[in-house]
Amino acid sequence: AQSVTQLGSHVSVSEGALVLLRCNYSSSVPPYLFWYVQYPNQGLQLLLKYTTGATLVKGINGFEAEFKKSETSFHLTKPSAHMSDAAEYFCAVSGGSQGNLIFGKGTKLSVKP
Amino acid sequence: DTAVSQTPKYLVTQMGNDKSIKCEQNLGHDTMYWYKQDSKKFLKIMFSYNNKELIINETVPNRFSPKSPDKAHLNLHINSLELGDSAVYFCASSQNPPGLAGDEQYFGPGTRLTVT
């Protein structure tokens, strides 16, 4: 069965610092991997996704993630955090019993001035 | 224009009542979903419809009944509400069924249901 593990339920960084949010997955088939962001009291918005091809994926708002099959990881990074990046971030893998998205438990990112 | 809209945004009701949440998407997508997000922010699929046909039905009490009158609408009716039903319910849509081509899912703003 597919699963997603996000290491760290809460990550706090200073404005301008590197953002690193960790995601590991398990999948018996080549996975489709996603990062979504949820701002307070809003729905989820896609940041980026990996389907096939280039393993370094660039998304919106300066975020990127690298698919590493050998490490079964899909960590999300951003070189320089902005205050506006404060939100909840969800990693997801497509591959449930009927191909549905399976979400990690989320990582709350706080950005300090 | 809002791509995926839900009504109401907030719903407060008493145990035992029956309530509905409506969802509409104007993206022309074929597939729609209902997710439940609990108080710890854990997000889990409940149902999915493709072209008005149910394709995903996770382990959900049969008090929850989805209805899709057409491709653009997916409503969620809940009978005999319980305290544990309190959560945020998200509707979403995608062009293709899940697991096919890795399509992005577009989420609505959510409906916060509080059962007292």
Side-chain angles (χ1 to χ4, degrees):
Chain A
Q2 282 77 12
S3 66
V4 176
T5 302
Q6 290 185 240
L7 294 174
S9 58
H10 190 190
V11 171
S12 181
V13 301
S14 297
E15 194 171 18
L18 171 71
V19 176
L20 170 60
L21 303 182
R22 299 178 187 273
C23 173
N24 288 89
Y25 71 91
S26 68
S27 178
S28 57
V29 296
Y32 297 135
L33 294 161
F34 305 80
W35 275 101
Y36 282 85
V37 61
Q38 184 179 25
Y39 298 104
N41 299 314
Q42 293 187 29
L44 279 71
Q45 178 184 4
L46 183 71
L47 277 176
L48 49 79
K49 68 177 182 181
Y50 169 79
T51 52
T52 59
T55 56
L56 183 61
V57 180
K58 294 187 186 299
I60 62 172
N61 301 339
F63 284 94
E64 61 183 37
E66 187 171 9
F67 170 59
K68 292 188 177 180
K69 184 178 178 181
S70 60
E71 299 177 8
T72 60
S73 69
F74 191 56
H75 302 330
L76 182 71
T77 61
K78 181 174 180 177
S80 176
H82 295 161
M83 297 296 292
S84 60
D85 294 327
E88 192 90 23
Y89 291 80
F90 293 92
C91 182
V93 62
S94 178
S97 58
Q98 291 153 294
N100 50 289
L101 277 183
I102 297 174
F103 285 87
K105 293 188 176 182
T107 298
K108 182 176 181 179
L109 176 66
S110 299
V111 182
K112 298 174 291 187
Chain B
D1 279 347
T2 304
V4 182
S5 59
Q6 297 179 226
T7 53
K9 189 169 176 63
Y10 299 96
L11 185 53
V12 181
T13 188
Q14 292 184 328
M15 286 174 53
N17 285 348
D18 302 338
K19 291 293 178 184
S20 292
I21 306 172
K22 295 186 176 183
C23 177
E24 177 181 3
Q25 54 96 2
N26 63 6
L27 298 167
H29 288 167
D30 287 344
T31 307
M32 296 185 72
Y33 311 80
W34 277 111
Y35 286 89
K36 179 180 180 180
Q37 186 175 47
D38 64 23
S39 58
K40 295 184 178 179
K41 299 282 188 178
F42 183 57
L43 201 66
K44 189 174 179 188
I45 183 80
M46 298 174 70
F47 302 103
S48 178
Y49 272 73
N50 180 249
N51 277 320
K52 301 193 297 175
E53 285 194 26
L54 182 66
I55 58 171
I56 293 175
N57 185 355
E58 291 294 303
T59 309
V60 176
N62 57 15
R63 297 182 295 103
F64 290 79
S65 53
K67 283 189 172 54
S68 181
D70 55 58
K71 282 194 333 180
H73 296 85
L74 180 61
N75 303 322
L76 183 65
H77 188 75
I78 315 170
N79 290 325
S80 303
L81 278 154
E82 301 178 356
L83 292 176
D85 297 332
S86 295
V88 181
Y89 292 84
F90 287 100
C91 178
S93 73
S94 63
Q95 183 59 57
N96 292 299
L100 188 68
D103 280 1
E104 170 183 358
Q105 293 185 19
Y106 292 78
F107 284 77
T111 296
R112 183 175 293 276
L113 172 64
T114 303
V115 182
T116 61

CSV table of all heavy atoms in Angstrom, one decimal, chain A residues 12-49:
chain,number,residue,atom,x,y,z
A,12,SER,N,10.1,25.8,11.7
A,12,SER,CA,10.2,27.3,11.9
A,12,SER,C,11.5,27.8,11.3
A,12,SER,O,12.5,27.2,11.6
A,12,SER,CB,10.1,27.7,13.4
A,12,SER,OG,10.1,29.1,13.5
A,13,VAL,N,11.4,28.8,10.4
A,13,VAL,CA,12.6,29.4,9.8
A,13,VAL,C,12.6,30.9,9.9
A,13,VAL,O,11.5,31.4,10.1
A,13,VAL,CB,12.8,29.0,8.4
A,13,VAL,CG1,12.9,27.4,8.2
A,13,VAL,CG2,11.7,29.5,7.5
A,14,SER,N,13.7,31.5,9.8
A,14,SER,CA,13.8,33.0,9.8
A,14,SER,C,13.5,33.4,8.3
A,14,SER,O,13.9,32.7,7.4
A,14,SER,CB,15.1,33.5,10.3
A,14,SER,OG,15.3,33.1,11.6
A,15,GLU,N,13.0,34.6,8.2
A,15,GLU,CA,12.8,35.2,6.9
A,15,GLU,C,14.2,35.3,6.2
A,15,GLU,O,15.2,35.7,6.8
A,15,GLU,CB,12.2,36.6,7.0
A,15,GLU,CG,11.7,37.2,5.7
A,15,GLU,CD,10.9,38.5,5.9
A,15,GLU,OE1,11.1,39.1,6.9
A,15,GLU,OE2,10.1,38.8,5.0
A,16,GLY,N,14.2,34.8,4.9
A,16,GLY,CA,15.5,34.8,4.2
A,16,GLY,C,16.2,33.5,4.3
A,16,GLY,O,17.2,33.3,3.5
A,17,ALA,N,15.9,32.6,5.2
A,17,ALA,CA,16.6,31.4,5.4
A,17,ALA,C,16.0,30.3,4.4
A,17,ALA,O,14.9,30.4,3.9
A,17,ALA,CB,16.4,30.9,6.8
A,18,LEU,N,16.8,29.2,4.3
A,18,LEU,CA,16.4,28.1,3.5
A,18,LEU,C,15.2,27.4,4.1
A,18,LEU,O,15.2,27.2,5.3
A,18,LEU,CB,17.6,27.1,3.3
A,18,LEU,CG,17.3,25.8,2.7
A,18,LEU,CD1,17.0,26.0,1.2
A,18,LEU,CD2,18.4,24.8,2.9
A,19,VAL,N,14.3,27.0,3.2
A,19,VAL,CA,13.1,26.2,3.7
A,19,VAL,C,13.4,24.8,3.2
A,19,VAL,O,13.7,24.6,2.0
A,19,VAL,CB,11.8,26.7,3.1
A,19,VAL,CG1,10.7,25.8,3.5
A,19,VAL,CG2,11.5,28.1,3.6
A,20,LEU,N,13.3,23.8,4.1
A,20,LEU,CA,13.4,22.4,3.7
A,20,LEU,C,12.3,21.6,4.4
A,20,LEU,O,12.3,21.5,5.6
A,20,LEU,CB,14.8,21.8,4.1
A,20,LEU,CG,14.9,20.3,3.9
A,20,LEU,CD1,14.7,19.8,2.5
A,20,LEU,CD2,16.3,19.8,4.4
A,21,LEU,N,11.3,21.1,3.6
A,21,LEU,CA,10.3,20.3,4.2
A,21,LEU,C,10.4,18.9,3.6
A,21,LEU,O,10.5,18.7,2.4
A,21,LEU,CB,8.9,20.9,3.8
A,21,LEU,CG,8.7,22.3,4.2
A,21,LEU,CD1,7.2,22.8,3.8
A,21,LEU,CD2,8.9,22.6,5.7
A,22,ARG,N,10.5,17.9,4.5
A,22,ARG,CA,10.8,16.5,4.1
A,22,ARG,C,9.6,15.7,3.9
A,22,ARG,O,8.6,15.7,4.6
A,22,ARG,CB,11.7,15.9,5.2
A,22,ARG,CG,13.0,16.6,5.4
A,22,ARG,CD,13.8,16.0,6.5
A,22,ARG,NE,15.0,16.8,6.9
A,22,ARG,CZ,16.1,16.6,6.2
A,22,ARG,NH1,16.3,15.8,5.3
A,22,ARG,NH2,17.2,17.4,6.6
A,23,CYS,N,9.7,14.8,2.8
A,23,CYS,CA,8.6,13.9,2.5
A,23,CYS,C,9.2,12.6,2.0
A,23,CYS,O,10.1,12.6,1.1
A,23,CYS,CB,7.7,14.5,1.4
A,23,CYS,SG,6.5,13.4,0.8
A,24,ASN,N,8.8,11.5,2.6
A,24,ASN,CA,9.2,10.2,2.1
A,24,ASN,C,7.9,9.4,1.8
A,24,ASN,O,6.9,9.6,2.4
A,24,ASN,CB,10.0,9.4,3.1
A,24,ASN,CG,11.4,10.0,3.3
A,24,ASN,OD1,11.6,10.9,4.1
A,24,ASN,ND2,12.3,9.5,2.5
A,25,TYR,N,8.0,8.6,0.8
A,25,TYR,CA,6.8,7.9,0.3
A,25,TYR,C,7.1,6.4,0.2
A,25,TYR,O,8.3,6.0,0.1
A,25,TYR,CB,6.4,8.4,-1.0
A,25,TYR,CG,7.3,8.1,-2.1
A,25,TYR,CD1,7.1,6.9,-2.9
A,25,TYR,CD2,8.4,8.9,-2.4
A,25,TYR,CE1,8.0,6.6,-3.9
A,25,TYR,CE2,9.3,8.5,-3.4
A,25,TYR,CZ,9.1,7.4,-4.1
A,25,TYR,OH,10.0,7.0,-5.1
A,26,SER,N,6.1,5.6,0.1
A,26,SER,CA,6.3,4.2,-0.2
A,26,SER,C,5.2,3.9,-1.3
A,26,SER,O,4.1,4.4,-1.2
A,26,SER,CB,6.1,3.3,0.9
A,26,SER,OG,4.8,3.3,1.4
A,27,SER,N,5.7,3.3,-2.4
A,27,SER,CA,4.8,3.0,-3.5
A,27,SER,C,5.3,1.7,-4.2
A,27,SER,O,6.5,1.6,-4.5
A,27,SER,CB,4.7,4.2,-4.4
A,27,SER,OG,3.9,3.9,-5.5
A,28,SER,N,4.4,0.9,-4.6
A,28,SER,CA,4.7,-0.4,-5.3
A,28,SER,C,4.8,-0.1,-6.8
A,28,SER,O,5.2,-1.0,-7.5
A,28,SER,CB,3.7,-1.5,-5.0
A,28,SER,OG,2.4,-1.0,-5.3
A,29,VAL,N,4.4,1.0,-7.2
A,29,VAL,CA,4.4,1.4,-8.6
A,29,VAL,C,5.1,2.7,-8.7
A,29,VAL,O,5.2,3.5,-7.8
A,29,VAL,CB,3.0,1.4,-9.2
A,29,VAL,CG1,2.3,0.1,-9.2
A,29,VAL,CG2,2.1,2.5,-8.5
A,30,PRO,N,5.6,3.1,-9.9
A,30,PRO,CA,6.1,4.4,-10.1
A,30,PRO,C,5.1,5.5,-9.6
A,30,PRO,O,4.0,5.5,-10.1
A,30,PRO,CB,6.4,4.5,-11.6
A,30,PRO,CG,6.6,3.1,-12.0
A,30,PRO,CD,5.7,2.3,-11.2
A,31,PRO,N,5.5,6.3,-8.7
A,31,PRO,CA,4.5,7.2,-8.1
A,31,PRO,C,4.3,8.5,-8.9
A,31,PRO,O,5.2,9.0,-9.6
A,31,PRO,CB,5.1,7.5,-6.8
A,31,PRO,CG,6.6,7.5,-7.0
A,31,PRO,CD,6.8,6.5,-8.1
A,32,TYR,N,3.2,9.1,-8.7
A,32,TYR,CA,3.0,10.5,-9.0
A,32,TYR,C,3.1,11.2,-7.7
A,32,TYR,O,2.4,10.8,-6.7
A,32,TYR,CB,1.6,10.8,-9.7
A,32,TYR,CG,1.4,10.2,-11.0
A,32,TYR,CD1,0.2,9.5,-11.3
A,32,TYR,CD2,2.4,10.2,-12.0
A,32,TYR,CE1,0.0,9.0,-12.6
A,32,TYR,CE2,2.2,9.6,-13.2
A,32,TYR,CZ,1.0,9.0,-13.5
A,32,TYR,OH,0.8,8.4,-14.7
A,33,LEU,N,3.9,12.3,-7.5
A,33,LEU,CA,4.1,12.9,-6.3
A,33,LEU,C,3.7,14.4,-6.4
A,33,LEU,O,3.9,15.1,-7.4
A,33,LEU,CB,5.5,12.8,-5.8
A,33,LEU,CG,6.0,11.4,-5.5
A,33,LEU,CD1,7.5,11.3,-5.6
A,33,LEU,CD2,5.5,11.0,-4.2
A,34,PHE,N,3.1,14.9,-5.3
A,34,PHE,CA,2.6,16.3,-5.3
A,34,PHE,C,3.0,17.0,-4.0
A,34,PHE,O,3.1,16.3,-2.9
A,34,PHE,CB,1.1,16.3,-5.4
A,34,PHE,CG,0.5,15.5,-6.5
A,34,PHE,CD1,0.4,14.1,-6.5
A,34,PHE,CD2,0.0,16.2,-7.6
A,34,PHE,CE1,-0.1,13.4,-7.6
A,34,PHE,CE2,-0.5,15.5,-8.7
A,34,PHE,CZ,-0.6,14.1,-8.7
A,35,TRP,N,3.1,18.3,-4.0
A,35,TRP,CA,3.1,19.2,-2.9
A,35,TRP,C,2.0,20.2,-3.0
A,35,TRP,O,1.9,20.9,-4.1
A,35,TRP,CB,4.5,19.9,-2.7
A,35,TRP,CG,5.5,19.1,-2.0
A,35,TRP,CD1,6.6,18.5,-2.6
A,35,TRP,CD2,5.7,19.0,-0.6
A,35,TRP,NE1,7.4,17.9,-1.6
A,35,TRP,CE2,6.8,18.2,-0.4
A,35,TRP,CE3,5.0,19.4,0.5
A,35,TRP,CZ2,7.3,17.8,0.9
A,35,TRP,CZ3,5.4,19.1,1.8
A,35,TRP,CH2,6.5,18.3,1.9
A,36,TYR,N,1.2,20.2,-2.0
A,36,TYR,CA,0.1,21.2,-1.9
A,36,TYR,C,0.4,22.2,-0.7
A,36,TYR,O,1.0,21.8,0.3
A,36,TYR,CB,-1.2,20.6,-1.7
A,36,TYR,CG,-1.8,19.9,-3.0
A,36,TYR,CD1,-1.5,18.6,-3.3
A,36,TYR,CD2,-2.8,20.6,-3.7
A,36,TYR,CE1,-2.0,18.1,-4.5
A,36,TYR,CE2,-3.3,20.0,-4.9
A,36,TYR,CZ,-3.0,18.8,-5.2
A,36,TYR,OH,-3.5,18.2,-6.3
A,37,VAL,N,-0.1,23.4,-0.8
A,37,VAL,CA,0.0,24.4,0.2
A,37,VAL,C,-1.4,24.8,0.7
A,37,VAL,O,-2.3,24.9,-0.2
A,37,VAL,CB,0.8,25.6,-0.2
A,37,VAL,CG1,0.2,26.3,-1.3
A,37,VAL,CG2,1.0,26.6,1.0
A,38,GLN,N,-1.6,24.9,2.0
A,38,GLN,CA,-2.9,25.4,2.5
A,38,GLN,C,-2.7,26.6,3.4
A,38,GLN,O,-2.1,26.5,4.4
A,38,GLN,CB,-3.6,24.3,3.3
A,38,GLN,CG,-5.0,24.7,3.8
A,38,GLN,CD,-5.7,23.5,4.5
A,38,GLN,OE1,-5.1,22.7,5.1
A,38,GLN,NE2,-7.0,23.6,4.5
A,39,TYR,N,-3.2,27.7,2.9
A,39,TYR,CA,-3.1,29.0,3.7
A,39,TYR,C,-4.3,28.9,4.7
A,39,TYR,O,-5.3,28.2,4.4
A,39,TYR,CB,-3.1,30.2,2.8
A,39,TYR,CG,-1.9,30.3,1.9
A,39,TYR,CD1,-2.0,30.0,0.6
A,39,TYR,CD2,-0.7,30.6,2.4
A,39,TYR,CE1,-0.9,30.0,-0.3
A,39,TYR,CE2,0.4,30.6,1.6
A,39,TYR,CZ,0.3,30.3,0.3
A,39,TYR,OH,1.4,30.4,-0.6
A,40,PRO,N,-4.2,29.6,5.8
A,40,PRO,CA,-5.2,29.6,6.8
A,40,PRO,C,-6.6,29.8,6.2
A,40,PRO,O,-6.8,30.7,5.5
A,40,PRO,CB,-4.8,30.7,7.8
A,40,PRO,CG,-3.3,30.8,7.7
A,40,PRO,CD,-3.1,30.5,6.2
A,41,ASN,N,-7.5,28.9,6.6
A,41,ASN,CA,-8.9,29.0,6.2
A,41,ASN,C,-9.2,29.0,4.7
A,41,ASN,O,-10.1,29.6,4.2
A,41,ASN,CB,-9.6,30.3,6.8
A,41,ASN,CG,-9.5,30.3,8.3
A,41,ASN,OD1,-9.9,29.3,9.0
A,41,ASN,ND2,-9.1,31.4,8.9
A,42,GLN,N,-8.3,28.3,4.0
A,42,GLN,CA,-8.4,28.2,2.6
A,42,GLN,C,-8.3,26.7,2.2
A,42,GLN,O,-7.9,25.9,3.0
A,42,GLN,CB,-7.4,29.0,1.8
A,42,GLN,CG,-7.6,30.5,2.0
A,42,GLN,CD,-6.6,31.3,1.2
A,42,GLN,OE1,-6.2,30.9,0.1
A,42,GLN,NE2,-6.2,32.5,1.6
A,43,GLY,N,-8.6,26.5,0.9
A,43,GLY,CA,-8.4,25.2,0.3
A,43,GLY,C,-7.0,24.9,0.0
A,43,GLY,O,-6.1,25.8,0.2
A,44,LEU,N,-6.7,23.7,-0.6
A,44,LEU,CA,-5.3,23.4,-1.0
A,44,LEU,C,-5.1,23.9,-2.4
A,44,LEU,O,-5.9,23.9,-3.2
A,44,LEU,CB,-5.1,21.9,-0.9
A,44,LEU,CG,-4.9,21.3,0.5
A,44,LEU,CD1,-6.1,21.3,1.4
A,44,LEU,CD2,-4.3,19.9,0.3
A,45,GLN,N,-3.8,24.3,-2.6
A,45,GLN,CA,-3.4,24.8,-3.9
A,45,GLN,C,-2.1,24.0,-4.3
A,45,GLN,O,-1.2,23.8,-3.4
A,45,GLN,CB,-3.1,26.3,-3.8
A,45,GLN,CG,-2.5,26.9,-5.0
A,45,GLN,CD,-2.2,28.4,-4.8
A,45,GLN,OE1,-2.2,28.9,-3.7
A,45,GLN,NE2,-1.8,29.0,-5.9
A,46,LEU,N,-2.0,23.6,-5.5
A,46,LEU,CA,-0.9,22.8,-5.9
A,46,LEU,C,0.4,23.7,-6.0
A,46,LEU,O,0.3,24.8,-6.7
A,46,LEU,CB,-1.1,22.2,-7.3
A,46,LEU,CG,0.0,21.3,-7.9
A,46,LEU,CD1,0.1,20.0,-7.1
A,46,LEU,CD2,-0.2,21.0,-9.3
A,47,LEU,N,1.5,23.3,-5.4
A,47,LEU,CA,2.7,23.9,-5.6
A,47,LEU,C,3.5,23.4,-6.7
A,47,LEU,O,4.1,24.1,-7.6
A,47,LEU,CB,3.6,23.7,-4.3
A,47,LEU,CG,3.4,24.6,-3.1
A,47,LEU,CD1,4.3,24.2,-2.0
A,47,LEU,CD2,3.6,26.1,-3.4
A,48,LEU,N,3.6,22.0,-6.8
A,48,LEU,CA,4.3,21.4,-7.9
A,48,LEU,C,4.0,19.9,-7.8
A,48,LEU,O,3.4,19.4,-6.9
A,48,LEU,CB,5.8,21.6,-7.7
A,48,LEU,CG,6.5,21.3,-6.3
A,48,LEU,CD1,6.7,19.8,-6.1
A,48,LEU,CD2,7.8,22.1,-6.2
A,49,LYS,N,4.4,19.2,-8.9
A,49,LYS,CA,4.1,17.8,-9.0
A,49,LYS,C,5.2,17.1,-9.8
A,49,LYS,O,5.8,17.7,-10.7
A,49,LYS,CB,2.8,17.5,-9.6
A,49,LYS,CG,2.6,17.8,-11.1
A,49,LYS,CD,1.2,17.4,-11.6
A,49,LYS,CE,1.1,17.7,-13.1
A,49,LYS,NZ,-0.2,17.4,-13.6
